[in-house]
Amino acid sequence: MPSSRIAIFPGSFDPLTNGHLDVIRRTARLFDRVIVAVLVNSEKRVVFTVDERVAMINESCAGIGQPGQVTADAFEGLLVHYAKRRGACAVVRGLRSGIDFDYERPMALMNAHLAPEIETVCVIGADRLAHISSRLVKEVVGLGGSVEGLLPDSIARRLVARLRAGKSAV
Ligand code: PNS
């Protein structure tokens, strides 16, 4: 039994949204440490580099829980291999709807098959944030809409600058 209970919250986070932050806050109440793990996926077209995403997550999570309780990192390969390397006992995923559940269930079962000692914990976020996704936020910004209240202000400013300049990380 590890002395501190570590949870991995994995995802693409391109970019981090207020929906993700809500799940991270809830997770920090349940675990001693939360590692927000950004997937390195060279096949996916992204707006922000992995390093930019890690930096933005660290900046946005600095005030959550105890100092240093929530940190960001990047990972490649199988999630359960990374979780074991970090000494985690759980993988946390946020659920907004039944569609999310249907997406998560096979991944949770596959991860349990690969590493039965790591539990998948699904956290249901606040209903008022259930319409937020990184994909939709990017679409709204790209088409000139307001994303106030959907993501941290500093990330929103960077996203607007990046998308309106027509740039992506790859
Ligand atoms: O935010 P996302 O894009 O829905 O996150 C998906 C993520 C990163 C959790 C998933 O793609 C993942 O775990 N990728 C790592 C590769 C892996 O472990 N695959 C087998 C598990 S089903």
Side-chain angles (χ1 to χ4, degrees), residues 10-13 20 39 44 75 77-80 93 103-104 106-107 110-111 114:
S12 306
F13 304 108
H20 294 131
L39 176 68
K44 205 164 171 180
F75 80 102
L78 277 182
L79 174 61
V80 291
R93 297 287 286 168
Y103 174 67
E104 295 302 330
M107 289 204 291
M110 181 58 77
N111 286 335
L114 295 168

Side-chain angles (χ1 to χ4, degrees), residues 85-97:
R85 278 203 305 280
R86 299 304 308 262
C89 61
V91 165
V92 169
R93 297 287 286 168
L95 290 190
R96 292 162 297 194
S97 65

